[in-house]
Amino acid sequence: MEQHYPNAALNEVLEHGRVSTLFQPIMNLRDAGVYGYEALSRGPSDSPLHAPDALFKAADHAGLASEIERLCFEVALHAFAQRQLNGKLFANLRPARLLEPFFQPDTLLAMLRTAGLPPQRLVLELTESDPTQDFAQLAEIVRALHKVGIGIAMDDLGEGFSSLRLWSELKPNYVKIDRHFISGLNQDPVKLQFVRSLQAIAENAGTLIVAEG
């Protein structure tokens, strides 16, 4: 049975900014260096909302998903700048967030200037927790983000509702292959052919493939 938490717990998280960010390095296998960091958000450590799945499921149920995702992004951006980490910041959000004023290019550029980061160091990593409907509008916004130097990544290719369509429409800079297709790759000829096919598409599309796991 799915567990729900009272809105008061989420309101406290929002009111006091009670989320934190862990940074998972993304390695460049060519030179064994750190290419960037993926921001992983966590709720209050003393709360059932600490785990990200619990936090975002509760936010969905309370109708506060947008507010929670904005808070997580702001905290991640601030922490990344404060720690003076190298490389790019990969920040997760749902594609629908790109339709909101908060994630429009001008707003993001202002936040990046305040943090002392050039736009080329930010990559918005789109997660596929919801089906995508308005591809044309999303593609227009992504073009505007690309124009100012902000990158786009797709998370967990092969897991979501419409990943190949999103890839085709949005033309992201990076595509992450779901770890299911990477695990045991050298022992599974079908997985190997699948990944090789994606790599060929990526080369033709000017996309960098990131292998998870």
Side-chain angles (χ1 to χ4, degrees), residues 17 19-24 37-42 70-86 88-89 91 111-112 114-117 121:
V19 298
S20 58
T21 308
L22 303 177
F23 291 101
Q24 177 173 281
Y37 293 86
E38 180 178 1
L40 305 175
S41 297
R42 298 289 184 268
R70 290 200 299 266
L71 173 62
C72 289
F73 176 81
E74 289 183 283
V75 170
L77 182 62
H78 177 76
F80 184 81
Q82 189 176 50
R83 297 183 193 186
Q84 299 182 335
L85 296 173
N86 296 322
K88 296 179 182 289
L89 168 63
M111 294 177 64
L112 287 163
T114 300
L117 296 172
R121 294 189 63 191

PDB file of all heavy atoms in Angstrom, residues 17 19-24 37-42 70-86 88-89 91 111-112 114-117 121:
ATOM      1  N   GLY A  17      13.561  25.322   3.226  1.00  0.00           N
ATOM      2  CA  GLY A  17      14.567  24.862   2.272  1.00  0.00           C
ATOM      3  C   GLY A  17      15.280  23.599   2.718  1.00  0.00           C
ATOM      4  O   GLY A  17      16.492  23.458   2.524  1.00  0.00           O
ATOM      5  N   VAL A  19      16.175  20.676   1.905  1.00  0.00           N
ATOM      6  CA  VAL A  19      16.709  19.643   1.028  1.00  0.00           C
ATOM      7  C   VAL A  19      18.217  19.843   0.941  1.00  0.00           C
ATOM      8  O   VAL A  19      18.727  20.946   1.164  1.00  0.00           O
ATOM      9  CB  VAL A  19      16.086  19.677  -0.391  1.00  0.00           C
ATOM     10  CG1 VAL A  19      14.596  19.419  -0.340  1.00  0.00           C
ATOM     11  CG2 VAL A  19      16.389  20.985  -1.080  1.00  0.00           C
ATOM     12  N   SER A  20      18.916  18.778   0.644  1.00  0.00           N
ATOM     13  CA  SER A  20      20.366  18.842   0.496  1.00  0.00           C
ATOM     14  C   SER A  20      20.743  18.154  -0.809  1.00  0.00           C
ATOM     15  O   SER A  20      19.919  17.483  -1.440  1.00  0.00           O
ATOM     16  CB  SER A  20      21.066  18.172   1.682  1.00  0.00           C
ATOM     17  OG  SER A  20      20.655  16.822   1.805  1.00  0.00           O
ATOM     18  N   THR A  21      21.999  18.317  -1.226  1.00  0.00           N
ATOM     19  CA  THR A  21      22.443  17.773  -2.504  1.00  0.00           C
ATOM     20  C   THR A  21      23.705  16.943  -2.323  1.00  0.00           C
ATOM     21  O   THR A  21      24.657  17.382  -1.672  1.00  0.00           O
ATOM     22  CB  THR A  21      22.744  18.900  -3.507  1.00  0.00           C
ATOM     23  OG1 THR A  21      21.617  19.779  -3.590  1.00  0.00           O
ATOM     24  CG2 THR A  21      23.020  18.326  -4.891  1.00  0.00           C
ATOM     25  N   LEU A  22      23.679  15.749  -2.883  1.00  0.00           N
ATOM     26  CA  LEU A  22      24.883  14.938  -3.026  1.00  0.00           C
ATOM     27  C   LEU A  22      25.339  15.053  -4.477  1.00  0.00           C
ATOM     28  O   LEU A  22      24.512  15.203  -5.380  1.00  0.00           O
ATOM     29  CB  LEU A  22      24.596  13.474  -2.689  1.00  0.00           C
ATOM     30  CG  LEU A  22      24.016  13.181  -1.305  1.00  0.00           C
ATOM     31  CD1 LEU A  22      23.726  11.697  -1.162  1.00  0.00           C
ATOM     32  CD2 LEU A  22      24.976  13.642  -0.211  1.00  0.00           C
ATOM     33  N   PHE A  23      26.637  14.984  -4.699  1.00  0.00           N
ATOM     34  CA  PHE A  23      27.159  15.112  -6.057  1.00  0.00           C
ATOM     35  C   PHE A  23      27.862  13.829  -6.471  1.00  0.00           C
ATOM     36  O   PHE A  23      28.828  13.403  -5.835  1.00  0.00           O
ATOM     37  CB  PHE A  23      28.118  16.303  -6.148  1.00  0.00           C
ATOM     38  CG  PHE A  23      27.428  17.624  -6.014  1.00  0.00           C
ATOM     39  CD1 PHE A  23      27.453  18.311  -4.811  1.00  0.00           C
ATOM     40  CD2 PHE A  23      26.730  18.170  -7.075  1.00  0.00           C
ATOM     41  CE1 PHE A  23      26.808  19.523  -4.666  1.00  0.00           C
ATOM     42  CE2 PHE A  23      26.073  19.392  -6.946  1.00  0.00           C
ATOM     43  CZ  PHE A  23      26.110  20.068  -5.743  1.00  0.00           C
ATOM     44  N   GLN A  24      27.340  13.217  -7.528  1.00  0.00           N
ATOM     45  CA  GLN A  24      27.917  11.976  -8.056  1.00  0.00           C
ATOM     46  C   GLN A  24      28.763  12.313  -9.280  1.00  0.00           C
ATOM     47  O   GLN A  24      28.256  12.869 -10.253  1.00  0.00           O
ATOM     48  CB  GLN A  24      26.797  11.016  -8.450  1.00  0.00           C
ATOM     49  CG  GLN A  24      27.285   9.716  -9.069  1.00  0.00           C
ATOM     50  CD  GLN A  24      26.134   8.761  -9.276  1.00  0.00           C
ATOM     51  OE1 GLN A  24      25.672   8.094  -8.353  1.00  0.00           O
ATOM     52  NE2 GLN A  24      25.640   8.693 -10.507  1.00  0.00           N
ATOM     53  N   TYR A  37      29.338  16.603 -12.551  1.00  0.00           N
ATOM     54  CA  TYR A  37      28.687  15.987 -11.390  1.00  0.00           C
ATOM     55  C   TYR A  37      27.177  16.003 -11.579  1.00  0.00           C
ATOM     56  O   TYR A  37      26.609  17.015 -12.009  1.00  0.00           O
ATOM     57  CB  TYR A  37      29.035  16.755 -10.111  1.00  0.00           C
ATOM     58  CG  TYR A  37      30.482  16.653  -9.704  1.00  0.00           C
ATOM     59  CD1 TYR A  37      31.429  17.532 -10.224  1.00  0.00           C
ATOM     60  CD2 TYR A  37      30.908  15.668  -8.815  1.00  0.00           C
ATOM     61  CE1 TYR A  37      32.767  17.442  -9.866  1.00  0.00           C
ATOM     62  CE2 TYR A  37      32.251  15.574  -8.440  1.00  0.00           C
ATOM     63  CZ  TYR A  37      33.169  16.458  -8.974  1.00  0.00           C
ATOM     64  OH  TYR A  37      34.484  16.363  -8.615  1.00  0.00           O
ATOM     65  N   GLU A  38      26.560  14.881 -11.238  1.00  0.00           N
ATOM     66  CA  GLU A  38      25.102  14.825 -11.221  1.00  0.00           C
ATOM     67  C   GLU A  38      24.618  15.180  -9.819  1.00  0.00           C
ATOM     68  O   GLU A  38      25.099  14.630  -8.822  1.00  0.00           O
ATOM     69  CB  GLU A  38      24.594  13.443 -11.597  1.00  0.00           C
ATOM     70  CG  GLU A  38      23.070  13.339 -11.582  1.00  0.00           C
ATOM     71  CD  GLU A  38      22.553  11.982 -11.991  1.00  0.00           C
ATOM     72  OE1 GLU A  38      23.378  11.084 -12.272  1.00  0.00           O
ATOM     73  OE2 GLU A  38      21.321  11.811 -12.018  1.00  0.00           O
ATOM     74  N   ALA A  39      23.681  16.121  -9.736  1.00  0.00           N
ATOM     75  CA  ALA A  39      23.128  16.532  -8.449  1.00  0.00           C
ATOM     76  C   ALA A  39      22.036  15.555  -8.031  1.00  0.00           C
ATOM     77  O   ALA A  39      21.078  15.325  -8.776  1.00  0.00           O
ATOM     78  CB  ALA A  39      22.562  17.948  -8.556  1.00  0.00           C
ATOM     79  N   LEU A  40      22.173  14.995  -6.834  1.00  0.00           N
ATOM     80  CA  LEU A  40      21.197  14.049  -6.285  1.00  0.00           C
ATOM     81  C   LEU A  40      20.585  14.669  -5.041  1.00  0.00           C
ATOM     82  O   LEU A  40      21.276  14.886  -4.044  1.00  0.00           O
ATOM     83  CB  LEU A  40      21.883  12.726  -5.947  1.00  0.00           C
ATOM     84  CG  LEU A  40      22.663  12.060  -7.095  1.00  0.00           C
ATOM     85  CD1 LEU A  40      23.398  10.823  -6.589  1.00  0.00           C
ATOM     86  CD2 LEU A  40      21.718  11.690  -8.231  1.00  0.00           C
ATOM     87  N   SER A  41      19.300  14.962  -5.098  1.00  0.00           N
ATOM     88  CA  SER A  41      18.630  15.664  -3.996  1.00  0.00           C
ATOM     89  C   SER A  41      18.139  14.696  -2.929  1.00  0.00           C
ATOM     90  O   SER A  41      17.730  13.568  -3.233  1.00  0.00           O
ATOM     91  CB  SER A  41      17.450  16.479  -4.532  1.00  0.00           C
ATOM     92  OG  SER A  41      17.901  17.482  -5.424  1.00  0.00           O
ATOM     93  N   ARG A  42      18.165  15.165  -1.695  1.00  0.00           N
ATOM     94  CA  ARG A  42      17.664  14.402  -0.557  1.00  0.00           C
ATOM     95  C   ARG A  42      16.813  15.320   0.316  1.00  0.00           C
ATOM     96  O   ARG A  42      17.094  16.512   0.454  1.00  0.00           O
ATOM     97  CB  ARG A  42      18.819  13.846   0.293  1.00  0.00           C
ATOM     98  CG  ARG A  42      19.734  12.881  -0.452  1.00  0.00           C
ATOM     99  CD  ARG A  42      19.036  11.562  -0.730  1.00  0.00           C
ATOM    100  NE  ARG A  42      19.923  10.590  -1.359  1.00  0.00           N
ATOM    101  CZ  ARG A  42      20.061  10.431  -2.672  1.00  0.00           C
ATOM    102  NH1 ARG A  42      19.363  11.199  -3.496  1.00  0.00           N
ATOM    103  NH2 ARG A  42      20.877   9.514  -3.162  1.00  0.00           N
ATOM    104  N   ARG A  70      11.838  22.934  -8.088  1.00  0.00           N
ATOM    105  CA  ARG A  70      12.505  24.238  -8.144  1.00  0.00           C
ATOM    106  C   ARG A  70      13.450  24.402  -6.958  1.00  0.00           C
ATOM    107  O   ARG A  70      14.581  24.872  -7.109  1.00  0.00           O
ATOM    108  CB  ARG A  70      11.478  25.377  -8.165  1.00  0.00           C
ATOM    109  CG  ARG A  70      10.700  25.477  -9.460  1.00  0.00           C
ATOM    110  CD  ARG A  70      10.078  26.857  -9.618  1.00  0.00           C
ATOM    111  NE  ARG A  70       9.128  27.172  -8.555  1.00  0.00           N
ATOM    112  CZ  ARG A  70       7.825  26.976  -8.625  1.00  0.00           C
ATOM    113  NH1 ARG A  70       7.287  26.434  -9.718  1.00  0.00           N
ATOM    114  NH2 ARG A  70       7.037  27.307  -7.634  1.00  0.00           N
ATOM    115  N   LEU A  71      12.984  24.009  -5.759  1.00  0.00           N
ATOM    116  CA  LEU A  71      13.825  24.111  -4.572  1.00  0.00           C
ATOM    117  C   LEU A  71      15.072  23.244  -4.721  1.00  0.00           C
ATOM    118  O   LEU A  71      16.188  23.696  -4.425  1.00  0.00           O
ATOM    119  CB  LEU A  71      13.035  23.682  -3.329  1.00  0.00           C
ATOM    120  CG  LEU A  71      13.838  23.584  -2.025  1.00  0.00           C
ATOM    121  CD1 LEU A  71      14.413  24.941  -1.634  1.00  0.00           C
ATOM    122  CD2 LEU A  71      12.961  23.017  -0.902  1.00  0.00           C
ATOM    123  N   CYS A  72      14.901  22.018  -5.182  1.00  0.00           N
ATOM    124  CA  CYS A  72      16.040  21.115  -5.349  1.00  0.00           C
ATOM    125  C   CYS A  72      17.048  21.699  -6.331  1.00  0.00           C
ATOM    126  O   CYS A  72      18.268  21.602  -6.113  1.00  0.00           O
ATOM    127  CB  CYS A  72      15.566  19.744  -5.832  1.00  0.00           C
ATOM    128  SG  CYS A  72      14.682  18.783  -4.571  1.00  0.00           S
ATOM    129  N   PHE A  73      16.557  22.312  -7.391  1.00  0.00           N
ATOM    130  CA  PHE A  73      17.462  22.911  -8.376  1.00  0.00           C
ATOM    131  C   PHE A  73      18.241  24.072  -7.763  1.00  0.00           C
ATOM    132  O   PHE A  73      19.463  24.176  -7.926  1.00  0.00           O
ATOM    133  CB  PHE A  73      16.677  23.391  -9.589  1.00  0.00           C
ATOM    134  CG  PHE A  73      17.526  24.104 -10.601  1.00  0.00           C
ATOM    135  CD1 PHE A  73      18.290  23.384 -11.505  1.00  0.00           C
ATOM    136  CD2 PHE A  73      17.573  25.485 -10.629  1.00  0.00           C
ATOM    137  CE1 PHE A  73      19.093  24.039 -12.433  1.00  0.00           C
ATOM    138  CE2 PHE A  73      18.374  26.151 -11.547  1.00  0.00           C
ATOM    139  CZ  PHE A  73      19.140  25.426 -12.454  1.00  0.00           C
ATOM    140  N   GLU A  74      17.552  24.955  -7.057  1.00  0.00           N
ATOM    141  CA  GLU A  74      18.217  26.108  -6.456  1.00  0.00           C
ATOM    142  C   GLU A  74      19.287  25.676  -5.460  1.00  0.00           C
ATOM    143  O   GLU A  74      20.405  26.229  -5.436  1.00  0.00           O
ATOM    144  CB  GLU A  74      17.185  27.000  -5.764  1.00  0.00           C
ATOM    145  CG  GLU A  74      16.285  27.758  -6.709  1.00  0.00           C
ATOM    146  CD  GLU A  74      15.335  28.675  -5.961  1.00  0.00           C
ATOM    147  OE1 GLU A  74      14.345  28.161  -5.397  1.00  0.00           O
ATOM    148  OE2 GLU A  74      15.586  29.895  -5.937  1.00  0.00           O
ATOM    149  N   VAL A  75      18.955  24.690  -4.611  1.00  0.00           N
ATOM    150  CA  VAL A  75      19.908  24.212  -3.611  1.00  0.00           C
ATOM    151  C   VAL A  75      21.110  23.563  -4.289  1.00  0.00           C
ATOM    152  O   VAL A  75      22.269  23.774  -3.893  1.00  0.00           O
ATOM    153  CB  VAL A  75      19.217  23.229  -2.638  1.00  0.00           C
ATOM    154  CG1 VAL A  75      20.245  22.530  -1.745  1.00  0.00           C
ATOM    155  CG2 VAL A  75      18.187  23.969  -1.783  1.00  0.00           C
ATOM    156  N   ALA A  76      20.862  22.774  -5.338  1.00  0.00           N
ATOM    157  CA  ALA A  76      21.956  22.110  -6.051  1.00  0.00           C
ATOM    158  C   ALA A  76      22.880  23.128  -6.709  1.00  0.00           C
ATOM    159  O   ALA A  76      24.108  23.008  -6.638  1.00  0.00           O
ATOM    160  CB  ALA A  76      21.388  21.154  -7.101  1.00  0.00           C
ATOM    161  N   LEU A  77      22.304  24.143  -7.340  1.00  0.00           N
ATOM    162  CA  LEU A  77      23.107  25.163  -8.018  1.00  0.00           C
ATOM    163  C   LEU A  77      23.977  25.915  -7.007  1.00  0.00           C
ATOM    164  O   LEU A  77      25.177  26.137  -7.233  1.00  0.00           O
ATOM    165  CB  LEU A  77      22.196  26.126  -8.763  1.00  0.00           C
ATOM    166  CG  LEU A  77      22.871  27.233  -9.574  1.00  0.00           C
ATOM    167  CD1 LEU A  77      23.729  26.640 -10.681  1.00  0.00           C
ATOM    168  CD2 LEU A  77      21.826  28.180 -10.161  1.00  0.00           C
ATOM    169  N   HIS A  78      23.379  26.283  -5.883  1.00  0.00           N
ATOM    170  CA  HIS A  78      24.111  27.011  -4.854  1.00  0.00           C
ATOM    171  C   HIS A  78      25.239  26.148  -4.282  1.00  0.00           C
ATOM    172  O   HIS A  78      26.379  26.621  -4.108  1.00  0.00           O
ATOM    173  CB  HIS A  78      23.158  27.441  -3.739  1.00  0.00           C
ATOM    174  CG  HIS A  78      23.832  28.133  -2.597  1.00  0.00           C
ATOM    175  ND1 HIS A  78      24.274  29.432  -2.656  1.00  0.00           N
ATOM    176  CD2 HIS A  78      24.158  27.690  -1.352  1.00  0.00           C
ATOM    177  CE1 HIS A  78      24.835  29.768  -1.519  1.00  0.00           C
ATOM    178  NE2 HIS A  78      24.779  28.725  -0.697  1.00  0.00           N
ATOM    179  N   ALA A  79      24.949  24.870  -4.002  1.00  0.00           N
ATOM    180  CA  ALA A  79      25.952  23.985  -3.414  1.00  0.00           C
ATOM    181  C   ALA A  79      27.090  23.720  -4.391  1.00  0.00           C
ATOM    182  O   ALA A  79      28.264  23.667  -4.004  1.00  0.00           O
ATOM    183  CB  ALA A  79      25.294  22.666  -2.999  1.00  0.00           C
ATOM    184  N   PHE A  80      26.764  23.563  -5.658  1.00  0.00           N
ATOM    185  CA  PHE A  80      27.777  23.316  -6.684  1.00  0.00           C
ATOM    186  C   PHE A  80      28.749  24.490  -6.765  1.00  0.00           C
ATOM    187  O   PHE A  80      29.968  24.309  -6.815  1.00  0.00           O
ATOM    188  CB  PHE A  80      27.091  23.085  -8.025  1.00  0.00           C
ATOM    189  CG  PHE A  80      28.022  22.733  -9.154  1.00  0.00           C
ATOM    190  CD1 PHE A  80      28.473  21.436  -9.308  1.00  0.00           C
ATOM    191  CD2 PHE A  80      28.427  23.696 -10.069  1.00  0.00           C
ATOM    192  CE1 PHE A  80      29.330  21.100 -10.356  1.00  0.00           C
ATOM    193  CE2 PHE A  80      29.280  23.377 -11.114  1.00  0.00           C
ATOM    194  CZ  PHE A  80      29.731  22.075 -11.259  1.00  0.00           C
ATOM    195  N   ALA A  81      28.189  25.709  -6.783  1.00  0.00           N
ATOM    196  CA  ALA A  81      29.034  26.909  -6.860  1.00  0.00           C
ATOM    197  C   ALA A  81      29.839  27.086  -5.581  1.00  0.00           C
ATOM    198  O   ALA A  81      31.031  27.424  -5.625  1.00  0.00           O
ATOM    199  CB  ALA A  81      28.164  28.131  -7.123  1.00  0.00           C
ATOM    200  N   GLN A  82      29.201  26.858  -4.429  1.00  0.00           N
ATOM    201  CA  GLN A  82      29.863  27.064  -3.139  1.00  0.00           C
ATOM    202  C   GLN A  82      31.050  26.113  -2.963  1.00  0.00           C
ATOM    203  O   GLN A  82      32.093  26.498  -2.422  1.00  0.00           O
ATOM    204  CB  GLN A  82      28.860  26.881  -2.010  1.00  0.00           C
ATOM    205  CG  GLN A  82      29.379  27.269  -0.634  1.00  0.00           C
ATOM    206  CD  GLN A  82      28.299  27.149   0.430  1.00  0.00           C
ATOM    207  OE1 GLN A  82      27.622  26.129   0.535  1.00  0.00           O
ATOM    208  NE2 GLN A  82      28.118  28.195   1.223  1.00  0.00           N
ATOM    209  N   ARG A  83      30.904  24.883  -3.437  1.00  0.00           N
ATOM    210  CA  ARG A  83      31.988  23.896  -3.291  1.00  0.00           C
ATOM    211  C   ARG A  83      33.052  24.048  -4.371  1.00  0.00           C
ATOM    212  O   ARG A  83      34.063  23.348  -4.340  1.00  0.00           O
ATOM    213  CB  ARG A  83      31.403  22.483  -3.325  1.00  0.00           C
ATOM    214  CG  ARG A  83      30.447  22.198  -2.190  1.00  0.00           C
ATOM    215  CD  ARG A  83      29.959  20.774  -2.224  1.00  0.00           C
ATOM    216  NE  ARG A  83      28.823  20.581  -1.340  1.00  0.00           N
ATOM    217  CZ  ARG A  83      28.254  19.398  -1.089  1.00  0.00           C
ATOM    218  NH1 ARG A  83      28.743  18.312  -1.665  1.00  0.00           N
ATOM    219  NH2 ARG A  83      27.210  19.309  -0.297  1.00  0.00           N
ATOM    220  N   GLN A  84      32.804  24.910  -5.333  1.00  0.00           N
ATOM    221  CA  GLN A  84      33.754  25.168  -6.413  1.00  0.00           C
ATOM    222  C   GLN A  84      34.150  23.868  -7.119  1.00  0.00           C
ATOM    223  O   GLN A  84      35.340  23.614  -7.388  1.00  0.00           O
ATOM    224  CB  GLN A  84      34.990  25.899  -5.880  1.00  0.00           C
ATOM    225  CG  GLN A  84      34.654  27.263  -5.273  1.00  0.00           C
ATOM    226  CD  GLN A  84      35.885  28.015  -4.790  1.00  0.00           C
ATOM    227  OE1 GLN A  84      36.908  27.425  -4.462  1.00  0.00           O
ATOM    228  NE2 GLN A  84      35.787  29.329  -4.765  1.00  0.00           N
ATOM    229  N   LEU A  85      33.139  23.075  -7.442  1.00  0.00           N
ATOM    230  CA  LEU A  85      33.391  21.825  -8.144  1.00  0.00           C
ATOM    231  C   LEU A  85      33.727  22.103  -9.611  1.00  0.00           C
ATOM    232  O   LEU A  85      33.250  23.071 -10.197  1.00  0.00           O
ATOM    233  CB  LEU A  85      32.162  20.915  -8.050  1.00  0.00           C
ATOM    234  CG  LEU A  85      31.798  20.443  -6.639  1.00  0.00           C
ATOM    235  CD1 LEU A  85      30.473  19.688  -6.651  1.00  0.00           C
ATOM    236  CD2 LEU A  85      32.901  19.558  -6.064  1.00  0.00           C
ATOM    237  N   ASN A  86      34.545  21.232 -10.178  1.00  0.00           N
ATOM    238  CA  ASN A  86      34.938  21.386 -11.572  1.00  0.00           C
ATOM    239  C   ASN A  86      33.926  20.726 -12.507  1.00  0.00           C
ATOM    240  O   ASN A  86      33.125  19.896 -12.088  1.00  0.00           O
ATOM    241  CB  ASN A  86      36.319  20.768 -11.810  1.00  0.00           C
ATOM    242  CG  ASN A  86      37.403  21.482 -11.027  1.00  0.00           C
ATOM    243  OD1 ASN A  86      37.377  22.703 -10.898  1.00  0.00           O
ATOM    244  ND2 ASN A  86      38.358  20.729 -10.501  1.00  0.00           N
ATOM    245  N   LYS A  88      30.867  20.156 -15.350  1.00  0.00           N
ATOM    246  CA  LYS A  88      29.485  20.567 -15.563  1.00  0.00           C
ATOM    247  C   LYS A  88      28.584  20.069 -14.439  1.00  0.00           C
ATOM    248  O   LYS A  88      28.823  19.008 -13.855  1.00  0.00           O
ATOM    249  CB  LYS A  88      28.977  20.025 -16.904  1.00  0.00           C
ATOM    250  CG  LYS A  88      29.724  20.595 -18.118  1.00  0.00           C
ATOM    251  CD  LYS A  88      29.186  20.005 -19.404  1.00  0.00           C
ATOM    252  CE  LYS A  88      29.949  20.528 -20.604  1.00  0.00           C
ATOM    253  NZ  LYS A  88      29.670  21.942 -20.887  1.00  0.00           N
ATOM    254  N   LEU A  89      27.536  20.824 -14.183  1.00  0.00           N
ATOM    255  CA  LEU A  89      26.504  20.422 -13.230  1.00  0.00           C
ATOM    256  C   LEU A  89      25.333  19.828 -14.005  1.00  0.00           C
ATOM    257  O   LEU A  89      24.721  20.499 -14.839  1.00  0.00           O
ATOM    258  CB  LEU A  89      26.018  21.629 -12.426  1.00  0.00           C
ATOM    259  CG  LEU A  89      24.747  21.417 -11.592  1.00  0.00           C
ATOM    260  CD1 LEU A  89      24.956  20.354 -10.515  1.00  0.00           C
ATOM    261  CD2 LEU A  89      24.278  22.736 -10.978  1.00  0.00           C
ATOM    262  N   ALA A  91      21.681  18.661 -13.596  1.00  0.00           N
ATOM    263  CA  ALA A  91      20.568  18.834 -12.655  1.00  0.00           C
ATOM    264  C   ALA A  91      19.311  18.188 -13.215  1.00  0.00           C
ATOM    265  O   ALA A  91      18.887  18.500 -14.333  1.00  0.00           O
ATOM    266  CB  ALA A  91      20.332  20.318 -12.398  1.00  0.00           C
ATOM    267  N   MET A 111      20.156  33.364 -12.528  1.00  0.00           N
ATOM    268  CA  MET A 111      20.588  32.540 -11.398  1.00  0.00           C
ATOM    269  C   MET A 111      22.046  32.114 -11.546  1.00  0.00           C
ATOM    270  O   MET A 111      22.806  32.095 -10.573  1.00  0.00           O
ATOM    271  CB  MET A 111      19.692  31.300 -11.290  1.00  0.00           C
ATOM    272  CG  MET A 111      18.250  31.615 -10.921  1.00  0.00           C
ATOM    273  SD  MET A 111      17.226  30.123 -10.889  1.00  0.00           S
ATOM    274  CE  MET A 111      18.005  29.229  -9.551  1.00  0.00           C
ATOM    275  N   LEU A 112      22.452  31.786 -12.764  1.00  0.00           N
ATOM    276  CA  LEU A 112      23.831  31.387 -12.999  1.00  0.00           C
ATOM    277  C   LEU A 112      24.791  32.546 -12.763  1.00  0.00           C
ATOM    278  O   LEU A 112      25.878  32.362 -12.206  1.00  0.00           O
ATOM    279  CB  LEU A 112      23.976  30.847 -14.429  1.00  0.00           C
ATOM    280  CG  LEU A 112      23.369  29.452 -14.664  1.00  0.00           C
ATOM    281  CD1 LEU A 112      23.199  29.191 -16.156  1.00  0.00           C
ATOM    282  CD2 LEU A 112      24.246  28.374 -14.035  1.00  0.00           C
ATOM    283  N   THR A 114      24.340  35.001 -10.684  1.00  0.00           N
ATOM    284  CA  THR A 114      24.420  35.162  -9.231  1.00  0.00           C
ATOM    285  C   THR A 114      25.349  34.121  -8.612  1.00  0.00           C
ATOM    286  O   THR A 114      26.087  34.414  -7.664  1.00  0.00           O
ATOM    287  CB  THR A 114      23.019  35.043  -8.608  1.00  0.00           C
ATOM    288  OG1 THR A 114      22.174  36.066  -9.158  1.00  0.00           O
ATOM    289  CG2 THR A 114      23.073  35.204  -7.100  1.00  0.00           C
ATOM    290  N   ALA A 115      25.325  32.902  -9.169  1.00  0.00           N
ATOM    291  CA  ALA A 115      26.173  31.821  -8.647  1.00  0.00           C
ATOM    292  C   ALA A 115      27.605  31.914  -9.162  1.00  0.00           C
ATOM    293  O   ALA A 115      28.473  31.171  -8.700  1.00  0.00           O
ATOM    294  CB  ALA A 115      25.574  30.469  -9.026  1.00  0.00           C
ATOM    295  N   GLY A 116      27.843  32.793 -10.122  1.00  0.00           N
ATOM    296  CA  GLY A 116      29.184  32.927 -10.678  1.00  0.00           C
ATOM    297  C   GLY A 116      29.561  31.817 -11.628  1.00  0.00           C
ATOM    298  O   GLY A 116      30.743  31.472 -11.770  1.00  0.00           O
ATOM    299  N   LEU A 117      28.554  31.237 -12.316  1.00  0.00           N
ATOM    300  CA  LEU A 117      28.803  30.129 -13.235  1.00  0.00           C
ATOM    301  C   LEU A 117      28.393  30.515 -14.652  1.00  0.00           C
ATOM    302  O   LEU A 117      27.315  31.084 -14.852  1.00  0.00           O
ATOM    303  CB  LEU A 117      28.013  28.890 -12.810  1.00  0.00           C
ATOM    304  CG  LEU A 117      28.370  28.249 -11.462  1.00  0.00           C
ATOM    305  CD1 LEU A 117      27.355  27.167 -11.122  1.00  0.00           C
ATOM    306  CD2 LEU A 117      29.776  27.660 -11.505  1.00  0.00           C
ATOM    307  N   ARG A 121      28.224  25.553 -18.203  1.00  0.00           N
ATOM    308  CA  ARG A 121      28.500  24.550 -17.174  1.00  0.00           C
ATOM    309  C   ARG A 121      27.226  23.904 -16.619  1.00  0.00           C
ATOM    310  O   ARG A 121      27.308  23.009 -15.777  1.00  0.00           O
ATOM    311  CB  ARG A 121      29.315  25.171 -16.039  1.00  0.00           C
ATOM    312  CG  ARG A 121      30.715  25.597 -16.495  1.00  0.00           C
ATOM    313  CD  ARG A 121      31.564  26.006 -15.332  1.00  0.00           C
ATOM    314  NE  ARG A 121      31.776  24.885 -14.415  1.00  0.00           N
ATOM    315  CZ  ARG A 121      32.305  25.016 -13.198  1.00  0.00           C
ATOM    316  NH1 ARG A 121      32.657  26.218 -12.761  1.00  0.00           N
ATOM    317  NH2 ARG A 121      32.474  23.970 -12.427  1.00  0.00           N
TER     318      ARG A 121
END
